[in-house]
């Protein structure tokens, strides 16, 4: 199986029904993508497949021939934050932080399609991402802030 | 080592430290302090001043022993040390440290004794002293009960000050400049001529000195960090996927395991492998207590194989069906099951005699913890010891649990605590760790990484206590006159302590927590707690007893005040007999513009509940829409005595409100056929973005003692919501979760 992950080509030989989530975590060692529920109920495993936000626990590796996958690690690092990640840090969003990879990936996908999301847009797109610590008010504020910066950029 | 050991013994004598304002560190002035664990293995030229600060020629390390389960406690602990040590974030590393009695928790007594938090009587102080003494003797190291800030607030500043003054002494000896002319900043001692000596450069000289323990803590007016908005050090890593949690760790040579144990929390009669043992990557199926583990070469393959196995489980040790659990709770309001009569003000029976009595029954079911990081642990058992990697809140008990399985001494269990993806009480339990150890002893030398599937985590969660209340009360002349509040729940405290192997004597302070010590001077008030015998095993759930008792109490008080025809906040303020509590009520009244017109289909509710010494008042505003109840806004005022970081404080309060409201609306664990019926987040959802209200937070600092804020925001939210729903609709909700009775948007 040949696909690109964060710009790097990978040739992966594994059972084709293996979820992308577990290929990323156990085979490639990209652990920023989190296992939370395994049934697309929490959003912690959100990645971008060909530019679209997907739950990697529901994407079989066998369906990804030639695909371009971007994970949270592909968007930035503590020393080089993406614009969305910077908004997350500015608003001090994370508590335990375990859901935040998925939140950032989902928000990034939202902002790529819509640089002026309303609260209703945010509710619609972000409600599949569970945060047990309850950081939603700060996530909302960070998305609005990131949107303002995108428009100002 | 002899020298280092001598230093170590002396270092904890920070009892001689003077505090600004003249308060001495009585509690630390101990005759036989625990040794400083950092003295062990200290290299040449490396210095330690106390169990919290270590400086080598290369690096400054601050030990932050409290477990970080998302509450930001690593940052908080580092900030307290830095405030006095004058090091900046970025100049030091933090480390959870090894489990050690030196890190005993000096603040666990707050809710462990049957006295109100604001009771400063001789009896209350004596009991707290006894519990604190026991914690010291046992070296009881633990994170929980919102105790991290009270535990560390003075201790870590003193640790920073002792280290700073010792470094200044070393600089003085090296430079010939008197200590009094030296200043410190940015991890260095500054000389009058403008030059500076870094702490790391001074490490070798300082290592030969006896720590300077005659220090004075700085006056709060001079603080650089405490009380000002901070930027948590862990947040950039947590925003970029760079933070490594226990579930992300990789140890060379490790194998992956997944388990299935009885969802009826009993024995396994047997199993059929059903081909699981020959699935790709699977190396073995191993017996563990109550079930099996599959060992494989990846997490996914191990989980898949577990799902292939067919099991035969023995019956549950508790009633198989939920109705029987409720029946047992309802049958517990008896003399034999009376755990304690906590309050007997006035004469309730006489007050009700001949009066019109209002009565109501409330109930709250089991609720799962389910932090987002599924439970996991890595254990490698060797011939004479073990090594463990996982996030946990009771490190020294963890050593005992693993040692018992491995067959070694607790000190031979090396434990590496990890940042945790949440807890809410879940990481006070043991099964993931003991299971990993049971697997590891069957393959000594090989590190075993156990990862629970979400379904296994749900099935084996120890949920919040189930309980009910029965209230009766009367009103007179527009005022609340009498109230008899009876609460019956299973004892999560005893359930937990049974698994811990440490019995807790006396009444369970948690059954009526948040209710019995209510700061209301109602003329006739009786509060009785009844202990329901163990049903499904339960455990501490964020805010513990107050999460149920607070709902029972403040909802019924709302009924009484409504019957009296009084204003809900005015009557609470009239009844309130504690200034600190009254001020949080006043604050939310002002914040919410209480009493102002709201428009059709809207309502406000208020509640005041104390949790772990912190009074929290909340006003919630709702709208009754065609699609159901919409929670518009929550105003919260909480008094912790001193807010360490207003940003993190606000985040934790908002999160606590979201936690409380989400579960109050829609979450419950029910049992059928002896098993929890809810298997994943689709059936036990909590709150999501679209339901989240605006949450406006105010931290007050009127209380005398400093407190933590992890749990206290939880208990007042559900009753404030139920009271708001009543105000908007006239419908009184008396059972959690509320969506059994009313729809939400």
């Amino acid at each position: 199986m040949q696909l690109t992950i964060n710009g790097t080509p990978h040739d992966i030989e594994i059972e084709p029904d293996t979820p992308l989530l577990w290929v990323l975590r156990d085979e490639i060692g990209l652990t920023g993508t989190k296992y939370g529920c395994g049934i697309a109920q929490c959003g912690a495993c959100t990645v971008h497949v060909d530019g679209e936000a997907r739950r990697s626990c529901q994407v079989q590796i066998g369906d990804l021939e030639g695909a371009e996958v971007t994970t949270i690690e592909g968007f930035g690092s503590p020393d080089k934050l993406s614009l969305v990640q910077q908004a997350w840090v500015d608003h001090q969003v994370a508590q335990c932080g375990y859901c935040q990879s998925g939140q950032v990936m989902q928000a990034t996908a939202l902002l790529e399609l819509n640089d002026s999301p309303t609260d209703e847009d945010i509710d619609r797109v972000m409600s599949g991402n569970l945060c047990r610590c309850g950081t939603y008010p700060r996530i909302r504020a960070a998305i609005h802030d990131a949107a303002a910066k995108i428009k100002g950029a | 080592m002899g020298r280092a050991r001598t230093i170590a013994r002396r270092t904890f004598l920070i009892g001689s430290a003077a505090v600004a304002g003249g308060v001495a560190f009585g509690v630390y002035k101990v005759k036989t302090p625990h040794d400083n664990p950092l003295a062990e293995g200290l290299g040449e030229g490396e210095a330690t001043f106390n169990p919290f600060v270590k400086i080598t020629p290369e690096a400054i390390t601050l030990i932050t022993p409290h477990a970080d389960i998302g509450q930001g406690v690593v940052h908080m602990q580092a900030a307290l040390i830095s405030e006095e040590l004058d090091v900046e974030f970025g100049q030091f590393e933090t480390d959870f440290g090894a489990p050690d009695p030196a890190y005993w928790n000096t603040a666990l007594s707050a809710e462990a004794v049957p006295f109100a938090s604001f009771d400063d009587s001789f009896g209350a102080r004596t009991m707290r002293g006894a519990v604190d003494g026991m914690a010291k003797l046992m070296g009881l190291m633990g994170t929980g009960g919102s105790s991290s800030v009270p535990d560390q607030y003075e201790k870590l500043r003193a640790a920073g000050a002792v280290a700073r003054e010792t470094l200044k002494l070393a600089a003085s000896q090296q430079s010939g400049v008197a200590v009094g002319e030296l200043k410190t900043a940015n991890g260095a001692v500054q000389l009058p001529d403008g030059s500076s000596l870094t702490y790391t450069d001074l490490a070798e000289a300082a290592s030969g000195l006896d720590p300077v323990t005659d220090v004075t803590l700085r006056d709060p007016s001079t603080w650089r960090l405490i009380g000002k908005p901070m930027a948590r050090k862990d947040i950039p890593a947590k925003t970029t996927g760079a933070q490594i949690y226990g579930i992300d760790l990789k140890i060379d040579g490790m194998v992956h395991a997944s388990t299935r144990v009885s969802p009826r929390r009993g024995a396994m009669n047997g199993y059929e492998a059903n081909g699981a043992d020959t699935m790709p990557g699977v190396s073995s199926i191993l017996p563990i207590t109550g079930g099996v583990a599959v060992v494989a070469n990846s997490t996914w393959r191990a989980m898949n194989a577990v799902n292939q196995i067919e099991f035969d489980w023995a019956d549950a040790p508790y009633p198989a069906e939920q109705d029987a659990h409720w029946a047992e709770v309802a049958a517990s309001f008896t003399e034999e099951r009376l755990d304690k009569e906590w309050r007997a003000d006035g004469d309730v029976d006489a007050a009700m005699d001949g009066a019109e009595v209002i009565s109501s029954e409330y109930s709250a079911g089991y609720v799962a913890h389910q932090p987002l990081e599924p439970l996991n642990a890595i254990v490698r058992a060797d011939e004479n010891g073990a090594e463990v990697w996982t996030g946990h809140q009771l490190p020294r008990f963890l050593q005992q649990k693993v040692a018992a399985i491995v067959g070694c001494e607790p000190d031979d269990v090396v434990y590496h605590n990890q940042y945790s993806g949440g807890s809410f009480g879940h990481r006070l339990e043991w099964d993931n760790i003991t299971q990993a150890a049971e697997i590891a002893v069957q393959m000594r030398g090989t590190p075993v990484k156990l990862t629970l599937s979400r379904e296994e985590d749900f099935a084996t969660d120890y949920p919040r206590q189930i309980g009910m209340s029965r209230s009766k009360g009367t009103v007179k002349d527009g005022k609340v006159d009498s109230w008899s509040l009876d609460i019956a729940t299973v004892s999560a405290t005893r359930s937990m302590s049974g698994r811990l192997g440490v019995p807790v004597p006396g009444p369970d302070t948690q059954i009526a927590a948040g209710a019995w010590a209510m700061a209301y001077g109602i003329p006739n008030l009786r509060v009785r707690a009844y202990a329901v015998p163990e049903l499904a095993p339960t455990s501490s759930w964020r805010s513990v007893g107050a999460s149920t008792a607070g709902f029972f109490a403040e909802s019924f008080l709302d009924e009484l005040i409504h019957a009296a025809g009084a204003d809900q906040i005015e009557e609470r303020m009239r009844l309130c007999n504690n200034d600190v509590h009254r001020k949080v009520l006043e604050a939310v009244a002002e914040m919410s513009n209480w009493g102002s017109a709201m428009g059709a289909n809207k309502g406000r509710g208020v509640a005041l509940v104390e949790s772990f010494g912190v009074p929290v008042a909340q006003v919630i505003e709702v709208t009754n829409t065609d699609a159901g109840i919409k929670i518009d806004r929550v105003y919260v005022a909480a008094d912790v005595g001193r807010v360490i970081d207003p940003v993190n404080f606000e985040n934790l309060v908002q999160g606590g409100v979201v936690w409380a409201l989400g579960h109050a609306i829609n979450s419950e664990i029910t049992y059928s056929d002896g098993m929890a019926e809810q298997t994943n987040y689709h059936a036990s959802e909590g709150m999501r973005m679209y339901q989240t209200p605006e949450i406006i937070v105010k931290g007050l600092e009127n209380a005398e003692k400093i407190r933590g804020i992890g749990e206290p925001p939880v208990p007042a939210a559900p009753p404030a919501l139920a009271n708001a729903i009543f105000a908007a609709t006239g419908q009184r909700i008396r059972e959690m979760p509320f969506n059994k009775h009313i729809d939400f948007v």
Side-chain angles (χ1 to χ4, degrees):
Chain A
M1 193 62 48
Q2 295 194 326
L3 67 159
T4 305
I5 301 172
N6 297 335
T8 306
H10 285 265
D11 194 350
I12 295 159
E13 283 188 37
I14 199 163
E15 299 93 304
D17 63 346
T18 307
L20 171 61
L21 166 68
W22 293 108
V23 173
L24 292 170
R25 291 183 55 81
D26 278 357
E27 310 300 326
I28 297 174
L30 289 170
T31 55
T33 304
K34 302 302 188 197
Y35 167 57
C37 70
I39 58 167
Q41 288 295 306
C42 78
C45 68
T46 304
V47 299
H48 293 188
V49 177
D50 295 327
E52 192 185 333
R54 302 279 299 275
R55 308 299 187 225
S56 64
C57 71
Q58 299 301 308
V59 178
Q60 296 189 353
I61 193 74
D63 294 335
L64 290 181
E65 181 70 50
E68 293 211 12
V69 173
T70 310
T71 71
I72 185 74
E73 291 92 344
F75 274 98
S77 63
D79 299 326
K80 199 179 171 204
L81 300 166
S82 74
L83 189 147
V84 175
Q85 288 166 334
Q86 184 64 56
W88 246 245
V89 173
D90 290 346
H91 286 268
Q92 292 285 292
V93 172
Q95 288 185 28
C96 91
Y98 194 78
C99 73
Q100 300 298 346
S101 293
Q103 305 278 4
V104 168
M105 295 302 285
Q106 190 69 37
T108 300
L110 163 65
L111 290 165
E112 281 172 3
L113 292 171
N114 177 358
D115 65 6
S116 309
T118 62
D119 279 341
E120 290 69 33
D121 294 333
I122 292 171
D123 285 349
R124 197 160 44 244
V125 175
M126 299 302 295
S127 286
N129 288 73
L130 198 57
C131 173
R132 298 290 283 164
C133 300
T135 64
Y136 303 121
R138 308 185 100 76
I139 291 173
R140 185 187 299 283
I143 291 173
H144 283 307
D145 189 24
K149 292 213 168 80
I150 289 169
K151 280 179 290 181
Chain B
M1 186 51 73
R3 177 72 174 157
R5 183 66 75 175
T6 310
I7 291 172
R9 283 202 171 278
R10 292 181 54 92
T11 50
F12 227 62
L13 292 170
I14 49 181
S16 61
V19 183
V23 187
F25 288 101
V27 70
Y28 311 123
K29 203 165 192 173
V30 288
K31 284 181 182 143
T32 52
H34 297 293
D35 286 347
N36 177 355
L38 302 182
E40 304 252 1
L42 208 58
E44 194 62 34
E46 299 180 344
T48 176
F49 310 93
N50 48 60
F52 304 100
V53 181
K54 180 180 162 181
I55 301 181
T56 70
E58 288 77 39
I60 301 170
T61 305
L62 307 185
I63 307 299
T64 57
H66 277 285
D68 203 314
I69 49 184
Q71 80 285 46
V73 80
V74 164
H75 187 95
M76 181 277 292
Q77 292 173 100
L80 289 175
I81 301 172
S82 304
E83 185 67 73
E84 291 282 345
L85 184 55
D86 289 333
V87 287
E88 301 302 321
F89 281 88
Q91 292 182 318
F92 57 83
E93 295 160 8
T94 60
D95 192 303
F96 289 110
D100 197 276
Y103 301 118
W104 96 87
N105 189 323
T106 47
L108 280 174
S109 63
E111 283 226 355
V113 298
F115 292 92
S117 66
F118 44 81
D119 185 343
D120 210 26
S121 65
F122 176 76
R125 281 183 282 127
T126 305
M127 277 288 275
R128 285 189 202 112
V131 172
D132 284 335
M134 210 165 65
K136 186 184 84 178
L137 209 63
M138 293 169 65
L140 184 56
M141 181 183 180
T143 302
S146 298
S147 66
S148 299
V149 166
D151 177 33
Q152 301 287 44
Y153 177 60
E154 288 186 357
K155 218 189 288 181
L156 292 187
R157 284 183 295 141
V162 166
R164 181 195 72 225
E165 290 305 313
T166 311
L167 289 157
K168 278 164 74 179
L169 179 62
S172 169
Q173 290 178 356
Q174 211 165 83
S175 64
V177 178
V179 167
E181 297 187 28
L182 298 173
K183 289 191 164 59
T184 49
N186 281 314
V189 178
Q190 297 178 325
L191 278 58
D193 67 3
S195 64
S196 61
L197 295 163
T198 67
Y199 291 168
T200 44
D201 285 345
L202 289 166
E204 186 164 3
S207 70
L209 300 175
D210 282 353
V212 177
T213 55
D214 182 17
V215 295
T216 305
L217 293 187
R218 287 172 173 161
D219 188 85
S221 65
T222 67
W223 284 343
R224 293 175 296 125
L225 302 169
I226 300 170
K228 300 184 172 61
M230 299 187 199
R232 266 171 58 174
K233 197 71 187 128
D234 52 332
I235 286 184
K238 288 177 172 177
T239 308
T240 53
Q243 177 68 55
I244 298 295
Y245 300 83
I247 202 169
D248 302 324
L249 272 178
K250 194 170 181 180
I251 305 297
D252 279 348
M254 77 181 183
V255 293
H256 298 263
S258 195
T259 49
R260 177 82 25 100
V261 298
S262 174
R264 295 194 189 120
R265 325 308 290 267
M268 178 180 70
N269 293 330
Y271 72 92
E272 279 296 329
N274 208 14
D277 48 345
T278 56
M279 286 172 71
V282 172
S283 54
S284 57
I285 300 177
L286 299 174
I288 58 170
T289 302
V292 302
V294 169
V295 178
N297 62 1
S298 82
T299 317
W300 169 244
R301 293 189 184 105
M303 284 183 186
N304 251 354
V306 165
N307 288 334
Q308 190 67 26
I309 302 172
E310 287 175 19
F311 293 93
D312 177 11
W313 307 118
D315 286 345
Y318 46 80
E321 302 301 324
Q322 185 65 30
D323 286 354
H325 293 236
W326 284 119
E328 192 67 39
V329 177
S332 294
F333 295 89
T334 65
E335 204 52 45
E336 298 75 51
R337 293 182 180 177
L338 178 66
D339 201 52
K340 186 174 165 69
E341 179 173 273
W342 288 96
R343 191 99 170 238
D345 303 352
D347 187 334
V348 168
D349 295 325
M352 289 187 196
D353 192 24
E356 190 184 337
V357 176
I358 301 155
S359 61
S360 283
E361 192 171 273
Y362 283 79
S363 57
Y366 297 111
V367 187
H369 299 85
Q370 296 307 299
L372 200 56
E373 180 192 5
L375 289 179
N376 58 82
I378 300 177
V379 176
R380 191 189 64 228
D382 300 318
E383 283 314 305
N384 305 310
E387 205 164 352
V388 181
W389 295 262
T390 192
H392 202 270
Q393 294 169 240
L394 298 168
R396 298 193 71 230
F397 284 109
L398 179 147
Q399 288 178 305
Q400 291 177 23
K401 289 272 182 192
V402 173
I405 293 164
V406 173
C408 64
E409 293 299 317
D411 282 349
D412 295 325
V413 175
V414 177
Y415 173 52
H416 309 275
N417 211 344
Q418 304 294 317
Y419 275 90
S420 293
S423 172
F424 317 112
H426 208 35
R427 288 171 189 277
L428 290 163
E429 294 293 341
W430 308 99
D431 295 349
N432 55 314
I433 295 157
T434 53
Q435 288 169 5
E438 288 185 6
I439 305 164
V441 294
Q442 298 179 64
M443 43 198 313
R444 285 184 195 252
T446 301
V448 174
K449 179 178 185 175
L450 168 63
T451 308
L452 267 61
S453 66
R454 176 58 60 192
E455 288 78 9
E456 182 69 4
D457 205 328
F458 257 92
T460 59
D461 198 338
Y462 295 89
R464 179 183 75 182
Q465 68 277 354
I466 185 175
M468 290 170 61
S469 74
R470 288 178 180 162
S471 272
K472 291 186 295 183
T474 60
V475 299
K476 197 160 82 179
D477 307 328
K479 296 169 183 168
V480 176
D481 186 57
S482 75
W483 180 7
S484 165
L485 169 58
D486 289 349
I487 297 173
T489 74
V490 294
S491 171
T493 307
R494 289 182 195 132
S495 190
M496 271 180 81
S497 62
R499 291 184 291 279
L500 194 56
V502 179
V504 177
D508 179 357
T509 60
Q510 288 299 320
I511 292 175
W516 68 265
M518 67 173 91
Y520 293 129
I522 294 167
N524 306 286
L525 173 64
R526 181 174 65 204
V527 181
R528 293 183 293 201
Y530 296 86
V532 181
E534 178 95 331
L535 295 166
T538 53
S539 193
S540 291
W541 187 91
R542 192 173 185 178
S543 80
V544 203
S547 72
T548 43
F551 168 61
F552 300 155
E554 279 286 323
S555 299
F556 187 74
L557 180 60
D558 210 79
E559 293 196 53
L560 287 177
I561 295 174
H562 179 73
D567 177 83
Q568 291 289 351
I569 282 196
E570 279 175 21
E571 178 66 355
R572 279 177 173 82
M573 286 208 261
R574 189 188 68 79
L575 292 167
C576 191
N577 55 14
N578 180 302
D579 283 344
V580 178
H581 290 63
R582 188 183 299 106
K583 281 174 182 160
V584 295
L585 272 174
E586 284 171 3
V588 288
E590 192 187 323
M591 291 160 73
S592 65
N593 199 10
W594 182 269
S596 62
M598 291 198 76
N601 298 316
K602 289 177 182 285
R604 279 191 195 100
V606 63
L608 164 67
V609 184
E610 188 196 285
S611 170
F612 293 99
V614 180
V616 179
Q618 303 192 20
V619 167
I620 294 187
E621 296 177 355
V622 302
T623 305
N624 186 22
T625 74
D626 291 342
I629 296 291
K630 180 174 185 298
I631 309 172
D632 298 314
R633 262 170 301 281
V634 182
Y635 300 93
V636 192
D639 197 318
V640 289
R642 169 91 59 186
V643 175
I644 302 277
D645 171 5
V647 178
N648 195 43
F649 179 87
E650 181 188 70
N651 200 352
L652 293 178
V653 172
Q654 290 174 330
V657 169
V658 168
W659 173 263
L661 292 180
H663 294 96
I665 288 171
N666 65 30
S667 298
E668 182 178 30
I669 291 292
T670 53
Y671 290 87
S672 181
D673 194 21
M675 298 182 258
E677 294 184 282
Q678 295 72 21
T679 59
N680 208 320
Y681 291 122
H682 65 284
S684 176
E685 204 167 20
M687 188 164 265
R688 291 181 180 273
M689 176 69 89
Y690 73 96
Q691 302 158 310
T692 304
E694 188 184 351
I695 304 168
I696 301 107
V697 177
K698 187 167 186 179
L700 273 61
E701 300 185 320
N702 299 309
E704 199 176 320
K705 290 181 185 162
I706 191 164
R707 309 280 188 182
I709 195 62
E711 295 166 274
V714 173
L721 174 58
N723 296 343
I725 291 170
F726 176 76
T729 68
Q731 185 180 349
R732 185 66 72 179
I733 312 273
R734 298 191 180 91
E735 183 184 16
M736 296 203 274
F738 299 166
N739 69 354
K740 284 181 167 177
H741 303 280
I742 199 163
D743 289 335
F744 288 85
V745 167

